[in-house]
Amino acid sequence: MNVASRPQLSPFQKLVRGRRSIRRFLETPVDRDSVLSCLEAARRAPSAHNAQPWRFLVVDDPAVKARMAAAAFSGIYSGSKFAARAPVIIVMLAKLDFVADRLGSRLQGVPYHFVDLGIAGEHIALQAEELGLATCWMGWFHARKLRKALAIPKTFKIVAMMPLGRAEKRPSREPARRSLREIVSFNRWGGEEGPDRWPADD
């Protein structure tokens, strides 16, 4: 099968390919305007039934962050302690909507608030990348202790956390990705039919 010559990357494709999950942050502060730009990008995300279930708790006070980290990254969750060095940690919460989430989840078997928060969170990650900031998706933390440390009401579900800051070191290479041929089917599952010219693999 012929392989297409590699096209010139668009600014968005460069942004996507340049993003990395960072686990070593500088302690350099991040200004509030940059944080708000990231959250504005999240606010513009689509959501099921336009429920907009996302809520964001920004932790940028060093004392509060230290107290939160001591609670949330303790015991078996100690592998997440790296996030405490980032100047900002965004806690992503979901306010569940009956129609969009609970009813939809029962009928479709899909917890839509996870989908919605995933989209919004990735908007944060990409906006941060454009601003020269670094992020890392995090789901490994002690949710009960985190809730207590930040006085989060039980009416909100804690979905994820995202440290935000400047990278101390950025991996130069992108992690290996599966090729389009491995993950894409056209018109029927597992069908061999595909484009005459697949994009070149990186």
Side-chain angles (χ1 to χ4, degrees):
M1 181 178 291
N2 293 329
V3 177
S5 59
R6 187 169 299 170
Q8 186 173 357
L9 295 178
S10 69
F12 179 74
Q13 285 291 335
K14 290 179 181 178
L15 186 73
V16 170
R17 295 187 184 208
R19 188 211 61 80
R20 299 287 185 271
S21 294
I22 299 299
R23 292 173 175 81
R24 293 175 63 181
F25 290 88
L26 298 173
E27 296 179 352
T28 308
V30 174
D31 61 275
R32 280 281 177 90
D33 285 344
S34 294
V35 175
L36 290 175
S37 291
C38 293
L39 296 173
E40 174 62 16
R43 190 176 74 88
R44 299 287 179 174
S47 59
H49 207 256
N50 197 33
Q52 303 173 60
W54 43 71
R55 300 293 187 272
F56 304 101
L57 178 50
V58 179
V59 180
D60 60 2
D61 180 287
V64 176
K65 181 160 61 73
R67 185 171 66 250
M68 178 202 72
F73 306 145
S74 61
I76 62 172
Y77 303 100
S78 61
S80 296
K81 284 183 177 179
F82 71 88
R85 193 175 180 199
V88 179
I89 296 180
I90 300 173
V91 182
M92 294 186 278
L93 313 169
K95 183 174 177 60
L96 305 187
D97 174 86
F98 178 78
V99 174
D101 188 83
R102 296 182 183 178
L103 185 59
S105 181
R106 290 175 186 173
L107 295 177
Q108 294 293 103
V110 177
Y112 288 115
H113 65 278
F114 286 134
V115 178
D116 296 339
L117 266 292
I119 297 170
E122 190 62 6
H123 278 210
I124 292 174
L126 293 177
Q127 179 61 81
E129 183 70 23
E130 185 183 56
L131 294 172
L133 299 173
T135 58
C136 184
W137 277 91
M138 291 180 58
W140 189 245
F141 50 84
H142 199 304
R144 182 176 57 80
K145 289 185 178 180
L146 174 64
R147 184 182 299 279
K148 183 177 180 180
L150 297 179
I152 300 171
K154 292 185 178 180
T155 51
F156 295 94
K157 184 175 183 63
I158 302 172
V159 176
M161 301 172 72
M162 186 176 289
L164 176 69
R166 288 174 175 79
E168 179 179 305
K169 184 178 180 180
R170 294 179 64 91
S172 57
R173 287 190 174 185
E174 183 181 13
R177 306 293 185 184
R178 296 184 185 277
S179 70
L180 284 176
R181 296 174 183 81
E182 294 179 85
I183 64 174
V184 177
S185 298
F186 284 86
N187 300 313
R188 65 186 178 89
W189 180 255
E192 293 297 326
E193 176 189 350
D196 292 334
R197 294 166 65 85
W198 286 93
D201 299 333
D202 287 336

